[in-house]
Amino acid sequence: MSAFLSLSCALAPSSLTFKSRVAPTKVAARSSSSFSSSSADSRAAAPPVRSPLRVVARGLEGRPWVQLKDGTPVSGPDLSVVVNGLKFPNPFVIGSGPPGTNYTVMKKAFDEGWGGVIAKTVSLDASAVKNVTPRYAKLKSEDGKEVIGWQNIELISDRPFETMLAEFKKLKEEYPERILIASIMDEYKKENWVEIVRRCEEVGVDAFEINFSCPHGMPERKMGMAMGQDCDVLQEVCGWVHEVATIPVWAKMTPNITDITVPAKACLVKGMEGISAINTITSVMGINLDTLKPELNVEGYSTPGGYSYKAVRPIALAMCMNTAKLIAEEFPGVTLSGVGGVETGSHAAEFILLGSDTVQVCTGVMIHGYPLVQNLCAELQEFMTKHSFAKVSEFKGRSLGCFTTHSDLVVRQREAIEKKRAAKVGLASDDKWTGDGFVAETESMVSN
């Protein structure tokens, strides 16, 4: 595997013909997967009608909220989005991590109204996953009242693969119309990736997100970020998955890289239908100046972890913007899921304006709870109403065209100044004054 620090990986032009993994309905998209007849019958049944919930998210009293029925707002602009043939009732998706770690919490997410759930990352051999406690640390404001950043050293799922599969199956039987995405990761072995894909499809998940980006623990086993920083490995693993998957596949990118578009392109030329960006940023939360020990601290020691929440949003926006421009220019039809520091509907609007189809939230749920989605939907609707947008698709990518190079900014500013000067040039000589235009001619020579 080549080191990826220089981002010198050369990618040949794609001659790939994309698989038809996009369908008008989820049932059609999974038609080539094998299911038991009882499971298929269960999923074909009409979903139960669920009453809208109203539980105030922690710390969000006073913020706008909207009632949700199966993820759909009972009033206001339409928030539904169709992504790779899958219909999400709203664009807010639980990001892979603790909020999607088991059946109970994923069920809670669906009941509260989240548009989709990406489960915590699974691998074939969960026995190799050993977590420690504590495994989180907060960066707070100077007065200690506000969480600005969040660090974690949590690993992927430590639950048996068979257990997670059974819970995926149960969720899809109970919520046949809701979007459940399996986050997957494994070692550099083709047979492992093929088995994970096939077995997850058998229980009815709607799509995959490949975790090429976990920055701690897993890279020690040449997984996660270690794969995401190597173009050759990315292309090979994406190729393996593309060969066997019959449902959409997103590749989740690491931000711990020089130019995110290079690994993103490596994945897209191998047929991935979507990109998720970004995962957490490698970080050290700090040093306790009383004990001289690092934070977070496990038996007096620590390790760099993944940094998330509000502080990373500007970085995530920049990386999503660059990825969206790549998609628009070279891979039209590919989708983007924006991730990083989303806590309000306004934050989500920024990601969508920069080309995201969906917006993932993980740390925000850990801080505020699952009812946060009611606030996110209401605030996004307020933004849409302000600008007279009836659907999310009407403003997706609207701000992308405002980004250019610094040298182009210099040219644009010079042209604007010259145009302004020309408008203020005034009269060349006294014989140019007129009676009817006297006031306007005077104004043309005023400097402020």
Side-chain angles (χ1 to χ4, degrees):
M1 302 181 195
S2 60
F4 193 52
L5 296 180
S6 66
L7 288 177
S8 58
C9 168
L11 300 174
S14 173
S15 58
L16 176 74
T17 300
F18 280 80
K19 280 186 179 179
S20 178
R21 290 202 291 247
V22 179
T25 65
K26 299 192 295 296
V27 174
R30 292 198 300 264
S31 59
S32 60
S33 300
S34 58
F35 306 106
S36 67
S37 58
S38 61
S39 173
D41 292 341
S42 171
R43 279 192 296 276
V49 177
R50 305 177 199 282
S51 299
L53 300 175
R54 179 53 186 151
V55 180
V56 178
R58 179 183 174 190
L60 301 185
E61 295 82 358
R63 271 177 50 176
W65 69 280
V66 65
Q67 289 184 332
L68 303 173
K69 285 187 177 180
D70 292 330
T72 300
V74 298
S75 60
D78 180 11
L79 295 185
S80 65
V81 293
V82 177
V83 183
N84 304 122
L86 304 173
K87 184 173 182 179
F88 294 73
N90 65 67
F92 296 104
V93 178
I94 292 287
S96 181
T101 196
N102 61 37
Y103 165 83
T104 300
V105 297
M106 288 187 279
K107 172 180 169 60
K108 174 70 171 175
F110 283 140
D111 287 343
E112 291 289 357
W114 288 86
V117 173
I118 303 176
K120 194 174 186 184
T121 305
V122 297
S123 63
L124 286 182
D125 183 13
S127 66
V129 179
K130 305 293 183 183
N131 273 304
V132 295
T133 299
R135 49 183 177 265
Y136 308 134
K138 300 175 182 178
L139 179 67
K140 295 184 178 181
S141 58
E142 290 297 323
D143 61 10
K145 295 180 179 180
E146 181 183 9
V147 178
I148 299 171
W150 184 283
Q151 185 199 35
N152 85 89
I153 57 170
E154 183 155 326
L155 303 182
I156 63 175
S157 178
D158 59 7
R159 307 177 72 228
F161 185 52
E162 289 73 16
T163 299
M164 292 296 286
L165 287 177
E167 294 186 356
F168 292 165
K169 184 174 185 292
K170 185 177 181 182
L171 281 164
K172 285 306 301 178
E173 289 173 347
E174 295 180 7
Y175 300 85
E177 301 304 316
R178 306 298 288 279
I179 305 300
L180 176 63
I181 299 173
S183 174
I184 59 176
M185 178 197 290
D186 217 286
E187 297 177 353
Y188 187 56
K189 297 177 182 178
K190 180 177 181 179
E191 60 271 23
N192 288 17
W193 287 94
V194 170
E195 181 178 351
I196 288 175
V197 169
R198 287 179 171 164
R199 293 182 67 185
C200 285
E201 285 202 12
E202 287 174 357
V203 298
V205 299
D206 298 290
F208 291 107
E209 182 181 81
I210 308 178
N211 186 340
F212 286 132
S213 45
C214 182
H216 47 267
M218 309 319 296
E220 296 170 15
R221 297 171 55 195
K222 307 301 180 185
M223 297 160 65
M225 183 178 70
M227 287 188 174
Q229 292 176 331
D230 191 313
C231 272
D232 295 333
V233 172
L234 280 174
Q235 289 191 299
E236 192 158 23
V237 173
C238 286
W240 296 340
V241 173
H242 182 74
E243 286 178 9
V244 294
T246 66
I247 56 179
V249 185
W250 303 348
K252 189 169 187 178
M253 299 289 96
T254 175
N256 302 299
I257 209 71
T258 307
D259 180 356
I260 196 171
T261 64
V262 178
K265 186 171 182 177
C267 297
L268 294 179
V269 297
K270 284 298 183 177
M272 300 297 95
E273 284 85 3
I275 294 292
S276 297
I278 57 174
N279 206 325
T280 53
I281 301 171
T282 301
S283 64
V284 171
M285 185 57 78
I287 303 296
N288 185 311
L289 297 183
D290 293 324
T291 66
L292 310 187
K293 299 292 185 179
E295 298 286 4
L296 51 86
N297 178 324
V298 179
E299 311 304 332
Y301 292 84
S302 191
T303 187
Y307 192 52
S308 61
Y309 205 42
K310 297 177 185 178
V312 311
R313 189 171 64 256
I315 298 169
L317 286 170
M319 292 194 170
C320 281
M321 179 272 293
N322 286 324
T323 303
K325 288 176 78 73
L326 168 70
I327 290 172
E329 293 167 3
E330 300 186 39
F331 300 94
V334 165
T335 61
L336 175 63
S337 188
V339 196
V342 173
E343 189 188 47
T344 71
S346 297
H347 298 160
E350 294 181 68
F351 278 92
I352 298 169
L353 285 164
L354 290 179
S356 296
D357 296 272
T358 58
V359 179
Q360 297 183 30
V361 184
C362 182
T363 308
V365 179
M366 298 172 71
I367 292 174
H368 297 295
Y370 294 90
L372 172 64
V373 68
Q374 300 167 12
N375 304 102
L376 296 173
C377 286
E379 290 160 346
L380 184 58
Q381 286 184 314
E382 285 190 343
F383 162 80
M384 293 171 66
T385 300
K386 176 182 177 180
H387 294 278
S388 300
F389 294 129
K391 298 185 296 184
V392 173
S393 59
E394 292 180 4
F395 65 96
K396 175 196 164 186
R398 285 282 289 266
S399 299
L400 267 183
C402 298
F403 287 87
T404 182
T405 63
H406 190 275
S407 58
D408 185 56
L409 292 179
V410 173
V411 172
R412 288 174 181 272
Q413 188 163 71
R414 184 187 305 123
E415 291 175 348
I417 291 172
E418 290 173 353
K419 185 176 180 181
K420 188 179 293 185
R421 284 174 177 167
K424 292 285 187 179
V425 70
L427 302 177
S429 62
D430 284 351
D431 62 359
K432 301 298 183 182
W433 288 94
T434 68
D436 293 338
F438 188 80
V439 174
E441 290 156 2
T442 302
E443 184 63 27
S444 73
M445 293 181 282
V446 175
S447 65
N448 58 13

